Every structure is written in C-alpha cells, then in structure tokens.
Amino acid sequence: MIIIMEKTATAENIQGVINILKEHGFRAILHEGAVHTVIDALGDKTTLSPDRLEAMEGVSQVKLIRQPYRMASRDRKPEDTVIEFENGVKVGGNNRPVFMVGPCSVEDDYEGLLNVAIAAKEMGCQFLRGGAFKPRTSPYDFDGLGEKALQYLAKAKEETGLLVVTELMDATDLDLVCKYADLIQIGARNMQNFRLLKAVGKCNKPIILKRGPAATIQEFLLAAEHIMYNGNERVILCERGVKGFDSSFTRNVLDISAIPVIKKYSHLPIIVDPSHGTGQRYLIEPMAKAGLVAGADGVMVEVHNNPAKALSDGKQSLSIPQFKEVFSKLNSLIDILHLENSNSPVNVE
Ligand code: PEP
Ligand code: MN
C-alpha cells in the first residue's frame, strides 16, 4: 500500500500512521515530496485494512499496489526515475539515451582500453564499461584481472572523464568495486543471487541489473525490488536477451518488447544490450536502433581495440572504426526521435 498524506498533514498525523503500520508488522518508508508526504507500507495488507488507514487524520488516500514488485512499480511512483551521476549525466525520464561502451573484459593492455575510451568520448558516450571480475561458463576461460582492471578503468576515467561501469560478482568485493565504479553491474547470471542483491541494496552506488538468461519480466522486476527493498532505489535495468530455442544465428533472443512493457509497469530506467542479446556484431546496429525506438534509456555495447584478439566476447565486439560508424548512426536516430537533450553528445563526427 502507499499512503498519500494531505498537504496539510502534521508531523503527528504522519507519525500516527507510521505507528499503526509498525504495530501491524509493516515496514514504513517515508518520502517527503514537494507537495505531499507519501508513506510506502510494505507488509501483509490482510492484517490492516486500507479503510482503517484512510479514516485516520491527515490521510488523503490509500492506494493498493497491484504488482508483487512494489517499490519498482508505476503504481507506487507514476513518474519516471532519473538517476543522476556526479558529472551531471542523467539516465531515465526524458533525458537523451546514454551509451555505455567498452570491452567485455578489461585486459592487460591499458593502451587498448584507452583507445576505446577516447573513441567513446569522441562519440558522445557517457560510460566506459569493462569487466574486472568475469563470470565465465567454462572454468578454463579468462576470468578477469581483478583490481588491476579496476585501476585501468579508473585511469581511463581520469583521462577521458567517462563514468565507469563494472560487474560485481561477489559481495566480498563490494568495497573494492565501490572504490572504482560509478555504476555497479549485476550480471545476468547473478540476477537472482539474492545475497548479492541485498549487499548492493545496502551500498550507495547506482546499480545496473541485467536480466537473467531465463528470467521472466516479473522475476526481473522482483530482483530489482530486492535491491530497492534493501535501501538502494537507484537501479537501472538492462535487457540483454533471454535463452531461445534457436541459437544457430543469435546467442540469445533480445526481448525488445520487454522495454515498453517495463516502461508501462515500472518507473525504473531500462537500457538495451544488443551485444549479449545477439552475440553477433552485425546485429548490434539494427537491434540497438530497435531498442531506442522502443524507448530504451540507453545502449550498452562491447567495443574492443582488437576484437580478433579479445579474451572474451570478441565475436560480438565492434572494432573502434565499426563502433564509430554505428554510433554516429545511433546518434542521428536519437536526434530524429526528438528526445530531450540533457546528455548532449560531445564532438560527434
Ligand atoms: C557483460 O556485460 O560482459 C556480461 C557478462 O553480461 P551478461 O551478464 O549480460 O552476460
Ligand atoms: Mn561480454
């Protein structure tokens, strides 16, 4: 339930509502808006009737949240969530879609990473992505450089001003990753690692949560709910494809329809990842465009200095010249879509 207080509600009225909620085992989260105070009541609504709350002094309206994900739902928060970063970049709402690009894994080649970062900056991207801790299907594959990779990302950030996105696989690395990342990625394979979701729910960095390879949209939103319920409401969702029955042409099935569905039922920003969504470099441009047309708040793409030599996901990574070509087209599409322009691209060729 959410309890919307009257404009004129006093501090005692608000405390009265909180007290009764607590007596009935609810958790109450207070949002003091410019006009109304709103209280999120999280708990079992069969123990306390909305009518009883509605009758209390200072209460304007009690709204029931129909979805099992509550904090993430539009019922609770009709306006889009916008997540703002230290340098003024904003993700969500009417802001210009953002670009997150970089290699799948950060490799022991700082110059290669920097080349990608410089090109990304040139093309108006806002984020540099790269894995330091990599979830790999085979234990024999390269699984990341750990802190050295984080240091490379931080150095590239210093040189270009790009924000850093990197994956956290284990809560024991949380402090380390927080030290270097502006946005912490929870990868598809960990979407339902509930202890990890709880850990990042308690940290103060924004989170990008990727859809699990076989997760329904409801499970995806409930995973976001875990993060929010634990105290971190700055969650960006990422559609990166789900397992289909035919992997002969594409690695996954990129679920473009998930974007408008999530926009309808949730206020959280959602971006699209056509690299993991398709596994094919030639599909990045059309599927990124499809995602943007469907309303994505950003695009994540793998770009490598030398894809033929990449230690992971080389087949789906764009080279720097390919990236420049594709991203100038994406920027033109965004201009045509007449989206707002708070994250203006800089130096776009
Ligand atoms: C990645 O972003 O490199 C990655 C491993 O993504 P996903 O979790 O979507 O497979
Ligand atoms: Mn990858």
Side-chain angles (χ1 to χ4, degrees), residues 103-105 129 134 251 276 302 312-313 316:
C104 179
S105 307
R129 60 141 290 146
K134 294 300 301 177
R251 181 174 172 181
H276 295 87
E302 287 183 337
S312 59
D313 286 349
Q316 67 192 34

Side-chain angles (χ1 to χ4, degrees), residues 214-226:
T216 64
I217 290 174
Q218 180 153 309
E219 287 164 343
F220 190 18
L221 289 171
L222 280 167
E225 189 80 7
H226 272 272

Side-chain angles (χ1 to χ4, degrees), residues 40-116:
D40 269 321
L42 305 171
D44 176 3
K45 61 180 178 299
T46 59
T47 63
L48 178 62
S49 96
D51 290 350
R52 176 148 176 223
L53 287 165
E54 217 151 39
M56 290 181 74
E57 218 168 314
V59 173
S60 158
Q61 199 191 348
V62 177
K63 274 175 73 178
L64 295 178
I65 310 285
R66 287 164 295 169
Q67 287 87 14
Y69 41 89
R70 301 177 188 193
M71 300 185 72
S73 85
R74 272 236 190 249
D75 279 356
R76 171 203 163 232
K77 184 170 179 277
E79 70 282 5
D80 290 331
T81 284
V82 174
I83 296 173
E84 187 164 355
F85 290 82
E86 58 178 49
N87 57 0
V89 166
K90 293 181 186 147
V91 184
N94 288 327
N95 294 295
R96 188 178 176 95
V98 292
F99 294 142
M100 304 181 183
V101 305
C104 179
S105 307
V106 176
E107 299 169 17
D108 205 358
D109 170 21
Y110 177 68
E111 289 308 310
L113 179 71
L114 185 62
N115 288 342
V116 172

Side-chain angles (χ1 to χ4, degrees), residues 196-325:
L196 187 60
L197 299 179
K198 188 170 181 176
V200 295
K202 293 184 188 305
C203 83
N204 64 2
K205 291 275 165 135
I207 307 300
I208 181 157
L209 176 67
K210 298 188 96 177
R211 182 174 179 183
T216 64
I217 290 174
Q218 180 153 309
E219 287 164 343
F220 190 18
L221 289 171
L222 280 167
E225 189 80 7
H226 272 272
I227 300 172
M228 300 175 86
Y229 178 75
N230 281 288
N232 189 350
E233 295 193 31
R234 293 192 295 164
V235 179
I236 300 170
L237 302 168
C238 179
E239 167 58 46
R240 48 75 74 202
V242 289
K243 293 253 183 234
F245 58 86
D246 180 2
S247 57
S248 43
F249 294 97
T250 56
R251 181 174 172 181
N252 288 302
V253 178
L254 187 62
D255 183 2
I256 295 293
S257 65
I259 297 164
V261 170
I262 283 173
K263 291 257 164 216
K264 178 170 164 65
Y265 292 99
S266 176
H267 53 85
L268 294 175
I270 175 160
I271 73 159
V272 65
D273 171 356
S275 304
H276 295 87
T278 67
Q280 303 290 340
R281 140 176 348 122
Y282 80 96
L283 291 174
I284 290 173
E285 182 187 328
M287 297 315 278
K289 285 177 173 171
L292 288 167
V293 171
D297 297 298
V299 182
M300 178 182 275
V301 168
E302 287 183 337
V303 181
H304 194 280
N305 193 45
N306 183 356
K309 293 242 167 87
L311 295 179
S312 59
D313 286 349
K315 197 168 147 229
Q316 67 192 34
S317 299
L318 296 176
S319 67
I320 292 174
Q322 288 164 344
F323 154 71
K324 288 188 175 179
E325 201 187 317

Side-chain angles (χ1 to χ4, degrees), residues 167-183:
E167 178 164 352
L168 175 74
M169 283 177 59
D170 188 319
T172 55
D173 298 318
L174 180 61
D175 290 344
L176 179 68
V177 170
C178 274
K179 206 167 115 191
Y180 297 98
D182 297 291
L183 175 60

